[in-house]
Every structure is written in C-alpha cells, then in structure tokens.
Amino acid sequence: MSKKPSYDLRIVAKYLYHVENLKPNQIYKRLVKIMEEKYYNFAISQWQDLLLNIAKHAKKRDLINIDYIPVTKNELLTIDGIKSKPMKRIAFTMLCLAKYRNMVNENNRDWINYDFKDIFRMANVTATIKEQCFMIHDMKALGLIKMNKLVNNLSVNVCYIDKTESEEVLKIDDFRNLGYEYLLYCGEKFFRCKRCGVLKRRTASNMSYCRECAEIVENQKTKERVQKFRSSKM
C-alpha cells in the first residue's frame, strides 16, 4: 500500500463492486480491513469519510480489462539498438507503460506521466537521481522520447511505438518487473514463481518459488506434517 493509498483503494473498490458484487457498506468494511492490515498507523477516525466516499462511488466507472500489452518486432529492434543495458530496460518499461495508457485512453497519444523513481523501479534499474537524469537526457538526445514543454511537467512522450503493426513478439501481462521481462526476452535466466507468478532471477536450477512464497509453502507443509503426526497418535 502506497503512502497515499486513495488511488489503490478506488481500484480495489471497483473490483469489489463489479467482480464480487458487494454493496457499498460491504465494500467499506473490506476497505477498512485492508487498511488495518496494510497501512501503518491506520486510524479509522482520519479515514472514515474518505473510505465511505470511495465505497459509495465504486460503481461510477467500469473496470478496464486488458489481456496483455503487445510488444512488436520493430519496437524490440529499436530498444536492442540502445548501447546502455540499463537504458534498454528503461526504454522497454516506458514502451509498456505508454501502450498501456493508450489502451486506457484512446486520446493519450503515447504519453506517460509517472515519477521517474517509479519507472526505474519497474525497470529493475538502481540509479541515483543524478544517474536517472543523465539516462533520461540521453534517451531524449537519441530521439527516443520527448519531454513536455511545461517546465514543471515531467510527462514523457514515447516516440518509438510501432505504428506499422509489425510482428507481435511479446505479450506482457505483468508489470511488477518489466526490466526482468526484457532480460528474459534477451535470454537471461529467470523463473516465474509457481505461487504468485512474479518474475525472479534464477540462482539455482530447481527454483520454483520466490523467497516470500517459499516461506509460506514451507510453513504450510510444516503445519500439514504436524497435523498428520498428531492424527497418527490419536
């Protein structure tokens, strides 16, 4: 849950209304429970009015269902031509975000408006603010992106989206590690967790779960062994 979770909560509320068919009072209770579990120092007195409002308006707009983001041969050729490996991941991430925004809003015209720190996080690139600025500047110099003319607006226009609709090579349906998705395409060793589906680096040949899920699975197996042992003693 982000520090300002109202956006996240609105999406959850839409899901609860449109998919689980909950009523506003039920949605409110679920949102309270989520905040109690996920938000540090949650105080109902400070959030009650907002949560009631979010629950009340959950039905206003439908959920947008997108099966996947297509990435084409020409787009990958453009990204492959970038010399810097971290910048390739940044370019791939920006491409996916722009194509996602285009699907959500047909008038978007290849723009993205995300904090650079979030773009670099999704791209799995660790960099200082100074290094981030240098990479963004280099991408602009290469003609890959354009910046908004307003000084205080950090919106980015992605200029390498394929308009010829060349061969579709990748189908991206998980935005948690977009940089790793590109590295997987490049042939590097990754695996998808069998439990949560997140893409992780492969450090051993028999890896099936990410660290968090491995702990959950092992704890569950331990409980089952204990229960089986107790049952055998009865």
Side-chain angles (χ1 to χ4, degrees), residues 126-181:
T126 302
T128 64
I129 294 176
K130 185 176 181 180
E131 289 169 338
Q132 291 178 18
C133 291
F134 278 132
M135 282 191 228
I136 297 298
H137 176 271
D138 289 346
M139 290 184 69
K140 183 174 180 291
L142 290 169
L144 296 170
I145 61 173
K146 295 178 182 177
M147 305 296 294
N148 194 294
K149 293 181 180 179
L150 298 176
V151 177
N152 62 343
N153 190 318
L154 295 179
S155 296
V156 173
N157 188 241
V158 178
C159 303
Y160 47 96
I161 290 181
D162 187 1
K163 304 300 183 182
T164 64
E165 298 183 355
S166 61
E167 178 188 354
E168 189 177 291
V169 178
L170 297 178
K171 296 180 178 180
I172 303 299
D173 59 6
D174 191 331
F175 272 42
R176 286 176 290 184
N177 286 314
L178 285 172
Y180 288 169
E181 296 285 352

Side-chain angles (χ1 to χ4, degrees), residues 100-143:
Y100 161 73
R101 295 305 313 170
N102 287 349
M103 288 185 175
V104 172
N105 178 7
E106 61 182 13
N107 297 316
N108 182 62
R109 298 179 183 177
D110 309 335
W111 285 93
I112 58 174
N113 185 13
Y114 298 87
D115 287 342
F116 289 153
K117 63 178 182 181
D118 292 328
I119 294 174
F120 277 72
R121 174 180 53 79
M122 285 187 279
N124 306 106
V125 174
T126 302
T128 64
I129 294 176
K130 185 176 181 180
E131 289 169 338
Q132 291 178 18
C133 291
F134 278 132
M135 282 191 228
I136 297 298
H137 176 271
D138 289 346
M139 290 184 69
K140 183 174 180 291
L142 290 169

Side-chain angles (χ1 to χ4, degrees), residues 170-224:
L170 297 178
K171 296 180 178 180
I172 303 299
D173 59 6
D174 191 331
F175 272 42
R176 286 176 290 184
N177 286 314
L178 285 172
Y180 288 169
E181 296 285 352
Y182 178 75
L183 293 179
L184 178 65
Y185 153 76
C186 292
E188 296 196 19
K189 295 180 179 180
F190 289 86
F191 75 99
R192 294 191 190 276
C193 174
K194 287 175 64 176
R195 184 175 181 273
C196 69
V198 70
L199 194 62
K200 292 285 186 179
R201 283 192 179 275
R202 183 179 294 281
T203 56
S205 59
N206 61 342
M207 296 182 74
S208 298
Y209 299 100
C210 66
R211 185 176 62 182
E212 294 81 4
C213 289
E215 291 178 0
I216 294 171
V217 171
E218 186 56 37
N219 289 338
Q220 183 62 37
K221 288 181 178 179
T222 301
K223 288 180 181 179
E224 290 173 357

Side-chain angles (χ1 to χ4, degrees), residues 53-92:
N53 183 268
I54 291 174
K56 179 181 177 181
H57 294 95
K59 62 182 180 181
K60 273 198 167 183
R61 293 184 180 178
D62 291 336
L63 283 171
I64 298 172
N65 294 314
I66 298 173
D67 293 328
Y68 64 89
I69 302 298
V71 181
T72 70
K73 180 179 179 180
N74 286 344
E75 290 164 345
L76 288 169
L77 285 172
T78 298
I79 296 171
D80 292 346
I82 301 171
K83 292 183 179 180
S84 165
K85 289 184 176 180
M87 201 183 298
K88 288 181 179 182
R89 279 176 273 165
I90 297 299
F92 183 83

